[in-house]
Amino acid sequence: MRDLAPRLPSSPGFWRSPLRGPWFTSVLGLVLLVGITVLFLTGLLSYAAYNPDLSPVNDKTPDKGLLGFYLFAWPTGPSWLYRLTQGVHVTLGLTLIPVLLAKLWSVVPKLFALPPARSLAHALERVSLLLLVGGALFEFVTGVLNIQLEYLFPGSFYPLHFYGAWVFFAAFVAHAALKVPAAMRNVRRMRAGAGEERDGLVTPRPDAPTVSRRGALWTVGGGSLLLFATGAGRSFDGPLRATALLAPHGGAEPGSGPNGFQVNKTAAYAGVDAAETSEEAWRLVVVGRTTTVRLARADLLRLPLHSAASPIACVEGWSTSDQHWRGVRLRDLAALVGFDGDPPDVLVESLQRRGAFRRGALRANQVADPRSLLALSVNGAALSPDHGYPARIIVPAAPGVLNTKWVARMTFGDLG
């Protein structure tokens, strides 16, 4: 009588790849254990960099409750800090995609295994696995869409990715606690030549192998290396940026000259009209403890000017090298309106009419840093409209969105 192939995914012989097995899954799982932990930690650092507990305008995750326990005043040094942490977060996330997909493929038989729960421990493992798979797909998909500037998900990226990360990481920790001992045991057994344990991943009806498990791991590693090579360049300048083929801000710089470096929001996108930024129309309103002053660009140019070198680094993972900015120190503007000693927090408002972060808050430590400027020029030339003319904020180590462009109003005072 002819042996009929199983028709249901829950049948042990339905999944026939000879690659599946505890050793293959364990190696991928251990790589993800390290990689996802780094992703989670750098994600928390990115969130802290926004100083979300400083002001509601910075907080895109309302009602976070206890999840805000780790927040701290984001430092201003080194100036490339956010460039490093967010570059690692985004580049590592892209690099882990082949590993994640291979890991999900390797354990797919377990998603259909019957009975659903053989014991309490098995039930916990199944629940953690379902949450892990769903959370991983959600986090990686929303992350990739965000860095590609494709906002196809419902609502704001910030709360979706933030709360999704907590659900995913909680499932990840629970699953790791259950499975890491077995994963380490499987790797040691294979290294010792003792063979691997059978835990439902090894098919009883394997197809003929076309590649070894080690060959499959090399293939996965090659895919990760390809994504690294075509994504990491967005965090650098010069020839390396041309290798970032999969990045919106990869390739050549958008122009030449002093203002010829990457920009996220253009003046046209932000709805900033040239008429309102003209010398005749534009005035900066600075509000303080005892007084309010209105300053034209010419007035600002007559104040003591200072220089600072800082990059622009964005949450999407792209950044520039140090640009050389010149303008008025934020702490000097605070002194103009009554804060002669230690400067306070400041709320910065832009002429920008649409999009997130039309307003942004900066902590006192950011205002006090001598490298924090209301910049009027860059690389020896006046700011271009797309880089924030007539004036923009530059704070070392701050996310790009807090380096507000087209500044119209600054209100100094305690925002806490």
Side-chain angles (χ1 to χ4, degrees):
M1 184 174 180
R2 186 162 55 93
D3 183 24
L4 296 177
R7 296 180 180 274
L8 297 176
S10 57
S11 302
F14 182 87
W15 308 96
R16 301 186 60 184
S17 172
L19 295 178
R20 288 192 180 91
W23 179 81
F24 185 70
T25 298
S26 296
V27 172
L28 296 171
L30 291 173
V31 172
L32 289 174
L33 176 66
V34 176
I36 288 176
T37 300
V38 174
L39 279 183
F40 186 71
L41 292 176
T42 52
L44 292 184
L45 289 175
S46 177
Y47 184 66
Y50 283 75
N51 288 321
D53 61 339
L54 173 63
S55 168
V57 301
N58 285 19
D59 189 4
K60 303 304 177 183
T61 55
D63 304 320
K64 60 183 180 293
L66 293 177
L67 300 183
F69 72 92
Y70 54 84
L71 296 179
F72 54 91
W74 186 250
T76 56
S79 63
W80 41 262
L81 178 62
Y82 190 72
R83 185 184 189 192
L84 172 65
T85 60
Q86 194 60 11
V88 168
H89 182 77
V90 170
T91 303
L92 180 60
L94 287 173
T95 303
L96 287 178
I97 288 175
V99 183
L100 175 68
L101 294 178
K103 177 68 160 66
L104 296 180
W105 173 86
S106 74
V107 299
V108 71
K110 289 202 168 189
L111 297 178
F112 297 94
L114 296 176
R118 297 190 300 269
S119 65
L120 178 60
H122 185 244
L124 290 174
E125 179 189 342
R126 293 295 296 275
V127 170
S128 72
L129 185 61
L130 289 173
L131 290 175
L132 186 66
V133 171
L137 292 175
F138 179 83
E139 285 298 288
F140 276 80
V141 168
T142 54
V144 169
L145 288 174
N146 184 63
I147 64 177
Q148 292 296 327
L149 310 181
E150 297 288 349
Y151 305 111
L152 304 179
F153 31 79
S156 170
F157 167 77
Y158 295 96
L160 288 173
H161 205 66
F162 176 80
Y163 292 120
W166 277 106
V167 172
F168 167 53
F169 196 70
F172 177 75
V173 170
H175 189 74
L178 292 168
K179 302 302 291 183
V180 164
M184 296 295 294
R185 188 167 59 249
N186 279 313
V187 171
R188 285 195 298 265
R189 283 172 61 90
M190 292 298 291
R191 290 183 64 182
E196 61 186 355
E197 299 175 352
R198 291 183 173 269
D199 66 349
L201 292 177
V202 179
T203 177
R205 305 175 69 252
D207 286 330
T210 57
V211 66
S212 69
R213 287 177 180 172
R214 292 185 184 277
L217 286 177
W218 278 109
T219 301
V220 173
S224 292
L225 183 61
L226 179 63
L227 288 179
F228 175 83
T230 55
R234 77 177 77 206
S235 297
F236 300 93
D237 286 303
L240 281 178
R241 187 175 290 276
T243 67
L245 303 176
L246 301 182
H249 292 287
E253 296 288 5
S256 59
N259 282 272
F261 54 95
Q262 295 291 329
V263 62
N264 223 8
K265 295 176 183 176
T266 65
Y269 170 85
V272 177
D273 189 272
E276 60 187 331
T277 60
S278 67
E279 293 278 355
E280 296 76 20
W282 182 81
R283 295 294 183 272
L284 172 68
V285 179
V286 185
V287 180
R289 176 190 291 139
T290 58
T291 186
T292 297
V293 298
R294 293 170 58 87
L295 301 168
R297 183 176 161 87
D299 298 324
L300 290 168
L301 289 170
R302 283 192 287 269
L303 294 174
L305 300 181
H306 300 270
S307 299
S310 291
I312 296 292
C314 193
V315 70
E316 287 95 5
W318 67 269
S319 60
T320 73
S321 60
D322 282 352
Q323 307 299 322
H324 297 275
W325 311 91
R326 189 163 178 80
V328 182
R329 286 175 173 167
L330 298 188
R331 66 187 191 186
D332 291 345
L333 290 172
L336 279 180
V337 289
F339 294 97
D340 295 320
D342 294 334
D345 309 330
V346 64
L347 176 66
V348 183
E349 300 176 70
S350 172
L351 294 173
Q352 178 182 335
R353 285 183 169 75
R354 56 177 175 268
F357 290 98
R358 295 183 292 275
R359 299 186 297 162
L362 299 171
R363 285 192 186 276
N365 68 303
Q366 295 174 310
V367 176
D369 193 294
R371 298 168 297 173
S372 296
L373 303 176
L374 179 72
L376 305 172
S377 62
V378 62
N379 299 323
L383 296 169
S384 70
D386 288 344
H387 281 298
Y389 180 87
R392 69 169 296 165
I393 297 294
I394 289 296
V395 173
V401 291
L402 294 182
N403 289 305
T404 308
K405 298 192 285 189
W406 313 293
V407 176
R409 185 181 182 94
M410 301 175 69
T411 303
F412 288 92
D414 184 12
L415 304 179

